[in-house]
Amino acid sequence: MKVLLLKDVYKLGRAGDVKKVADGYGRNYLLPQGMAVLATAEALKMADRVREKANVQRAIVNQEMDAIAKQITGLSLVFPARASETGKLYGSITTQMIADAIKAKSGVEVARRQIDSQPLRMLGEYKVRIRLTVDLIPSIDVIVHREGEAPTAPAATKAVVEQKPKAVVEAEPAEEPAEEPTEEPAEEPTEEPTEEPAAE
């Protein structure tokens, strides 16, 4: 079905745009939420008016949210987690946990639905985007490391150290990250003595 967007819709378009969408998405989400109307000839006549009104409203919202975007851009959040030998977490780091950490460290309240991420289920470093408006989508660093260990990946360590103290969820790691011990073989394989036949 074709719809006329009445509001900005992330990853779809801006108010005033005409878009072709799946019937279910339009009928079950966009239309009931008041985000769009069917793109009838009558509706298309008001497309320019919708676009102009949205442009004015968007500029106001972007101006209000600009300070918040600057405040959280590059924020680095560190989550210790229990994980298997393969790095898979026992559980996950959810968008709600990320939202809570953002509020705790920056004072900025973000709804979990504004966090553009699936639950994180593996150890590692992630770039997570925060949808403040259709134009303002700052990124933050989320580092998930094994519980009881300091983040040892060079990129992760750099990201944590370079941020201001208020932007780090945990205490800063020691100056030199602990190196993981490299396992050396217990003993070198010995050659079996070859028996020479006895002289007759």
Side-chain angles (χ1 to χ4, degrees):
M1 70 166 62
K2 279 191 176 181
V3 297
L4 169 66
L5 297 180
L6 300 178
K7 297 180 180 178
D8 296 339
V9 181
Y10 183 63
K11 289 187 177 177
L12 180 59
R14 296 168 182 254
D17 291 351
V18 176
K19 295 289 181 179
K20 188 173 183 180
V21 298
D23 289 355
Y25 180 51
R27 195 167 39 245
N28 299 328
Y29 180 67
L30 295 176
L31 300 182
Q33 295 288 329
M35 294 181 169
V37 293
L38 286 172
T40 60
E42 192 66 32
L44 292 176
K45 289 178 184 175
M46 63 178 191
D48 287 338
R49 194 165 68 250
V50 169
R51 195 174 296 115
E52 288 170 13
K53 186 178 177 182
N55 286 342
V56 172
Q57 186 64 32
R58 190 183 303 117
I60 294 170
V61 174
N62 283 346
Q63 192 172 0
E64 291 173 353
M65 300 300 286
D66 186 56
I68 291 175
K70 287 176 180 173
Q71 199 171 343
I72 65 175
T73 296
L75 192 69
S76 186
L77 306 178
V78 182
F79 292 90
R82 293 176 61 241
S84 67
E85 289 299 314
T86 60
K88 187 172 182 180
L89 305 188
Y90 299 126
S92 63
I93 305 301
T94 65
T95 53
Q96 186 60 57
M97 291 167 71
I98 294 172
D100 292 343
I102 291 171
K103 185 177 180 182
K105 301 318 295 180
S106 70
V108 173
E109 194 156 350
V110 174
R112 63 186 177 86
R113 66 176 179 277
Q114 292 177 277
I115 298 172
D116 191 11
S117 172
Q118 296 296 318
L120 307 179
R121 303 184 189 280
M122 296 289 292
L123 296 175
E125 183 178 354
Y126 301 87
K127 283 280 185 189
V128 176
R129 302 196 301 172
I130 313 298
R131 303 192 309 266
L132 298 179
T133 72
V134 71
D135 296 315
L136 294 174
I137 310 174
S139 291
I140 64 170
D141 294 312
V142 175
I143 300 159
V144 185
H145 69 93
R146 194 179 301 279
E147 197 174 69
E149 296 179 8
T152 52
T157 305
K158 184 180 177 186
V160 173
V161 172
E162 285 186 351
Q163 296 301 324
K164 294 178 182 178
K166 70 169 187 177
V168 182
V169 170
E170 293 187 326
E172 291 186 1
E175 289 181 8
E176 294 184 4
E179 292 184 8
E180 292 185 7
T182 53
E183 291 185 7
E184 295 183 3
E187 55 183 35
E188 294 185 6
T190 55
E191 293 184 7
E192 293 183 6
T194 52
E195 291 184 6
E196 294 183 6
E200 290 181 3

